């Protein structure tokens, strides 16, 4: 894909496309004032010029067709409305990154500006892959110990942000990020909400990923809480471990059952199934009520080890289950003590 080579703000030289989303394209760029790599998010809309290609102009429609959204058909949404939604997300994300700038695991915000008849958000560049990309690397599903490592890191971020009164509202495999050095990040804060504000008119009600969204995100009038993020995270980890997302909550509200993850993964420890099944409860009151509640279980059951890989800038992650037990069928731990995963 060819992109224009001139500088943005006479400072940021675009190098390559990292990814596309419903309202934006993410570039890897060089900050020529510092020589450092940065991430540049460009807002794109169908009626705008700028750097958007035909593919990226249609990204909203593509996303809506592959990921059904509780909104009208995109063709019926005016360009002005798409522009309004996109700008709301760009501005909201910049605001949230500033609010959370000292939280480890939240990307740093450098600046936001307008150019080429569109808007740009410049952030810290993270070297690594999303949970979804790691799943692809492992042919669709992760070793459960690696999935738990990502879950633990994400929970530590949510614990801090929930404590400050903010919920992410869009935890998913494409927004959970694992760096080469072993750091876990939670990216794309454009749908984040203030727990103390009004939820009714929030963009999260217009653009949720129904594969991972909690029922209260899709039903008008329901209050969002930290348990909303925990549902999304448990749905994400279920997908990472099982190779497919859990049955959507709308289908479950109609009577469809949730398949326990142990049906998909025969050697899954019971505590993992317990965490996920509780976290995916349709009633928010029946879920864990805080990130710490799940962290306590993981810390009791698993010991993680992160070791730098000499000369590569990478790290390896290994895990040991604490409460191993023998069974009448033999010692079933050969696949539970995983070999180190090089990131």
């Amino acid at each position: 894909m060819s992109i224009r080579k001139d500088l943005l703000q006479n400072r940021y030289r675009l190098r390559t496309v990292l990814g596309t989303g419903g309202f934006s394209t993410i570039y890897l760029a060089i900050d020529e004032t510092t020589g450092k790599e940065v991430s540049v998010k460009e807002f794109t809309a169908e009626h705008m010029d700028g750097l958007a290609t035909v593919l990226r102009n249609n990204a909203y429609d593509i996303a809506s067709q592959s990921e059904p959204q509780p909104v009208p058909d995109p063709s019926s949404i005016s360009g002005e409305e798409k522009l309004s939604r996109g700008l709301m997300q760009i501005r909201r994300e910049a605001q949230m990154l500033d609010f959370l700038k000292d939280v480890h695991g939240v990307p740093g915000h450098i600046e936001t500006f307008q150019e080429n008849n569109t808007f740009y958000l410049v952030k810290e560049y993270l070297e690594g892959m999303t949970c979804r990309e790691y799943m692809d690397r492992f042919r669709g599903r992760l070793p459960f110990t690696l999935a738990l490592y990502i879950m633990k890191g994400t929970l530590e971020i949510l614990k801090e942000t929930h404590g400050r009164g903010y919920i992410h509202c869009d935890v998913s495999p494409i927004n959970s990020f694992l760096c080469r050095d072993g750091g876990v990040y939670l990216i794309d804060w454009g749908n984040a909400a203030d727990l103390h504000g009004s939820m009714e008119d929030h963009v999260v009600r217009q653009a949720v990923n129904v594969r991972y969204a909690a029922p209260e995100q899709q039903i008008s009038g329901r209050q969002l809480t930290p348990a909303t993020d925990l549902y999304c995270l448990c749905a994400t980890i279920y997908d990472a471990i099982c190779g497919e997302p859990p049955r959507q909550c709308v289908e479950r509200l109609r009577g469809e059952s949730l398949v326990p993850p142990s049906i998909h993964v025969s050697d899954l420890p019971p505590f993992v199934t317990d965490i996920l099944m509780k976290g995916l409860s349709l009633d928010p009151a029946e879920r864990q009520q805080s990130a710490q509640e799940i962290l306590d279980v993981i810390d009791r059951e698993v010991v993680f080890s992160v070791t730098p890989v000499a000369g590569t800038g990478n790290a390896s992650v290994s895990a040991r289950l604490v409460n191993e037990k023998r069974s009448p069928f033999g010692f079933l731990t050969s696949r539970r003590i995983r070999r180190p995963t090089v990131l």
Side-chain angles (χ1 to χ4, degrees):
M1 179 181 297
S2 62
I3 56 179
R4 212 166 63 192
K5 299 299 183 182
D6 55 318
L7 296 179
L8 296 175
Q9 290 288 93
N10 292 317
R11 177 176 178 179
Y12 305 108
R13 187 174 299 279
L14 305 183
R15 291 182 55 186
T16 187
V17 174
L18 296 174
T20 60
F23 295 107
S24 61
T25 296
I26 312 298
Y27 297 97
L28 172 64
I30 294 293
D31 181 347
E32 298 212 337
T33 65
T34 64
K36 294 182 178 180
E37 293 180 320
V38 296
S39 169
V40 177
K41 174 182 280 191
E42 176 200 37
F43 169 71
T44 56
E46 292 178 354
H47 67 286
M48 300 181 71
D49 294 322
L51 304 177
T53 64
V54 172
L55 173 61
R56 292 188 282 110
N57 280 335
N58 291 328
Y60 181 86
D61 298 297
I62 293 170
S64 295
Q65 291 167 9
S66 60
E67 300 283 347
Q69 308 283 334
V71 295
D73 186 292
S75 63
S76 68
I77 301 175
S78 68
E80 290 76 13
E81 187 174 355
K82 290 181 182 180
L83 174 62
S84 177
R85 292 182 186 182
L87 294 183
M88 183 187 299
Q89 287 189 304
I90 287 283
R91 290 166 178 164
R92 184 58 171 169
E93 181 169 11
Q95 183 182 44
M96 290 301 305
L97 294 181
D98 286 339
F99 288 158
L100 303 173
K101 61 184 178 182
D102 59 338
V103 176
H104 182 70
V106 175
H109 173 219
I110 299 173
E111 69 169 318
T112 306
F113 60 89
Q114 183 174 0
E115 194 170 311
N116 295 322
N117 195 33
T118 188
F119 287 82
Y120 296 89
L121 176 67
V122 185
K123 299 182 292 183
E124 171 189 9
Y125 171 63
L126 304 176
E127 191 170 2
M129 289 188 281
T130 65
C131 180
R132 171 61 62 193
E133 290 169 325
Y134 269 102
M135 290 166 63
D136 293 341
R137 174 177 168 181
F138 282 90
R139 299 183 180 180
R141 62 171 67 177
L142 296 181
F144 69 79
T145 47
L146 181 56
L148 287 175
Y149 179 80
I150 295 173
M151 187 179 205
K152 176 180 168 63
T154 307
L155 286 165
E156 289 170 344
I157 300 167
L158 293 177
K159 175 185 174 181
E160 182 68 23
T161 56
H162 290 170
R164 300 186 183 202
Y166 301 106
I167 51 178
H168 185 275
C169 296
D170 195 18
V171 181
S172 69
I174 64 171
N175 289 334
S176 293
F177 196 95
L178 182 55
C179 294
R180 287 177 55 188
D181 64 1
V184 178
Y185 279 72
L186 190 53
I187 62 176
D188 198 347
W189 289 81
N191 274 338
D194 185 341
L195 283 170
H196 306 296
S198 171
M199 302 297 176
E200 277 304 312
D201 58 351
H202 200 270
V203 68
V204 70
R205 296 203 179 277
Q206 301 174 345
V208 297
N209 188 327
V210 295
R211 290 187 177 183
Y212 310 100
E216 59 268 25
Q217 292 179 276
Q218 304 178 61
I219 302 173
S220 180
R222 298 289 182 88
Q223 182 70 22
L224 306 187
T225 70
T228 302
D229 276 347
L230 300 183
Y231 182 102
C232 299
L233 177 58
C234 285
T236 294
I237 300 304
Y238 184 111
D239 190 4
I241 291 174
C242 300
E244 62 181 58
R247 192 174 296 277
Q248 294 177 18
C249 62
V250 173
E251 297 173 339
R252 294 171 58 205
L253 288 167
R254 294 171 182 160
E256 298 290 340
S257 60
L258 175 63
V259 177
S262 55
I263 300 298
H264 295 278
V265 183
S266 60
D267 68 338
L268 194 65
F271 80 89
V272 181
T273 295
D274 292 343
I275 287 175
L276 298 183
M277 294 298 284
K278 183 174 182 178
L280 291 169
S281 297
L282 295 175
D283 183 351
E286 295 180 0
R287 299 175 208 150
Q288 299 90 343
Q289 296 303 295
S290 69
Q292 187 63 56
E293 188 176 340
I294 304 178
L295 281 169
D296 288 343
V297 177
I298 294 176
D299 289 339
R300 185 173 65 244
E301 298 286 348
V302 192
V303 175
F304 296 104
S305 176
V306 182
T307 307
V309 178
T312 68
N314 285 38
S316 67
V317 173
S318 58
R320 177 178 60 84
L321 295 184
V322 175
N323 299 313
E324 290 287 0
K325 297 179 181 179
R326 293 180 179 271
S327 80
F329 303 101
F331 194 54
L332 303 179
T333 62
S334 60
R335 290 194 295 163
R336 292 190 179 181
I337 302 181
R338 304 288 179 173
R339 290 179 296 177
T341 300
V342 178
L343 305 179

